[in-house]
């Protein structure tokens, strides 16, 4: 087990190098984490950094790629609640390679760390996730979300009679929510190039060293992938005063 019981990480990596092609034209002149949630005046990365700071994180390494200078310029001018370092991938390394490269700049390599994808906008108690990770002595723990299916569902009986219509029901499956807790040694298990979700995670799962933390009931979670996601996030902000 890494660190004292129920200690929580104070450092994190944010993967912010993606092209964001499904968010065009918003991403024509900025990386996806720099897209603003309408009505907030703050880009996705700003919301993420505020949340991480609220959860006790003091140092963040941001892995940049596409239009890195736009993100770096914003970071230079913003009033940030924690210390931020950026690293730039000069060639695409994949998500696993990007994580490994960024982890090399974490200030405390012998301590555990959080990571999140740069297009995730969420609020839940990270410290509780870190305690869950510690209790299972896991090498890695991923947050699990239950998204709503974007279509209406039709419920039928065994004879084919339609019983009900259910608008945007929750998925019967949990998905990777793009937020992680990693043991200090996890970076050594990552590929220098490629996707950890196809290499490192399956291996850890076979070894029972990978844990899954279901987001608490009522937690806010959304992946910002399309213009529709942006609009819906803004509506939810207005409705819940987030």
């Amino acid at each position: 087990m890494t660190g004292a019981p129920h200690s929580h990480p104070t450092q994190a990596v944010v993967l912010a190098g993606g092209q964001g092609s499904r968010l065009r034209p918003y991403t024509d002149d900025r990386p996806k984490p720099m897209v603003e949630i309408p009505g907030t005046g703050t880009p996705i990365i700003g919301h993420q950094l505020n949340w991480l700071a609220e959860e006790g994180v003091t140092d963040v390494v941001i892995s940049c790629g596409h239009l890195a200078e736009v993100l770096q310029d914003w970071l230079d001018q913003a009033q940030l609640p924690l210390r931020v370092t950026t690293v730039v991938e000069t060639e695409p390394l994949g998500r696993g390679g990007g994580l490994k490269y960024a982890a090399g700049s974490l200030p405390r390599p012998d301590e555990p760390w959080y990571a999140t994808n740069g297009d995730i906008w969420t609020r839940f108690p990270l410290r509780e996730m870190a305690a869950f990770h510690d209790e299972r002595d896991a090498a890695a723990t991923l947050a699990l979300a239950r998204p709503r299916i974007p279509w209406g569902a039709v419920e039928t009986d065994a004879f084919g009679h339609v019983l009900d219509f259910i608008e945007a029901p929750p998925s019967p499956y949990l998905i990777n929510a793009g937020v992680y807790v990693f043991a200090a040694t996890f970076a050594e298990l990552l590929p220098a190039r490629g996707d950890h979700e196809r290499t490192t995670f399956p291996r850890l799962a076979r070894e029972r060293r990978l844990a899954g933390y279901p987001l608490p009931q009522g937690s806010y979670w959304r992946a910002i992938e399309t213009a529709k996601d942006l609009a819906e996030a803004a509506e939810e902000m207005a409705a819940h005063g987030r």
Side-chain angles (χ1 to χ4, degrees):
M1 191 176 297
T2 303
H6 301 303
S7 62
H8 61 83
T10 57
Q11 54 187 357
V13 166
V14 177
L15 289 178
Q19 295 274 344
S21 55
R22 294 176 65 196
L23 261 174
R24 287 179 177 149
Y26 297 101
T27 50
D28 284 346
D29 62 353
R30 67 195 64 196
K32 182 156 58 166
M34 279 301 300
V35 173
E36 290 185 6
I37 306 294
T40 70
T42 303
I44 298 167
I45 190 75
H47 292 285
Q48 289 184 320
L49 294 176
N50 286 333
W51 173 54
L52 291 170
E54 289 166 6
E55 291 294 325
V57 174
T58 59
D59 295 270
V60 172
V61 179
I62 301 177
S63 178
C64 308
H66 175 63
L67 297 174
E69 65 281 357
V70 178
L71 177 50
Q72 289 170 323
D73 288 347
W74 181 82
L75 291 168
D76 286 343
Q77 297 170 31
Q79 295 287 326
L80 300 175
L82 34 63
R83 290 181 292 274
V84 173
T85 303
T86 59
V87 295
V88 180
E89 294 180 29
T90 53
E91 56 180 337
L93 300 175
R95 288 184 296 178
L99 267 179
K100 188 181 189 81
Y101 180 54
S105 292
L106 287 168
R108 294 174 290 281
D110 58 341
E111 294 183 11
W113 46 293
Y114 297 118
T116 182
N117 297 336
D119 59 356
I120 299 298
W121 189 27
T122 185
R123 285 289 185 279
F124 68 89
L126 269 178
R127 290 180 181 89
E128 290 183 14
M129 183 177 173
F132 179 97
H133 168 85
D134 276 352
E135 286 162 3
R136 282 146 189 84
D137 199 16
T141 299
L142 53 151
L144 302 175
R146 192 180 298 279
R148 291 200 164 271
I149 297 171
W151 308 283
V154 179
E155 184 180 343
T156 64
D157 66 15
F159 296 100
H161 296 124
V162 173
L163 301 178
D164 200 2
F165 297 90
I166 307 166
E167 191 62 36
S171 168
Y173 299 105
L174 292 166
I175 66 165
N176 180 350
V179 181
Y180 311 95
V181 184
F182 294 137
T185 55
F186 178 75
E188 300 166 12
L189 308 177
L190 287 165
R193 187 184 299 269
D195 190 344
H196 60 293
E197 294 189 13
R198 296 183 180 180
T199 55
T200 310
F201 278 178
R203 186 169 77 250
L204 290 176
R206 289 192 297 270
E207 297 169 358
R208 298 295 185 267
R209 298 169 64 203
L210 182 67
Y213 172 77
L215 296 188
Q217 188 75 24
S219 298
Y220 184 79
W221 179 88
R222 179 176 285 278
I224 307 294
E225 297 179 347
T226 65
K228 185 171 182 283
D229 292 326
L230 272 180
E232 291 178 354
E235 288 174 8
E236 290 160 354
M237 281 276 292
H240 299 289
R242 294 185 192 277

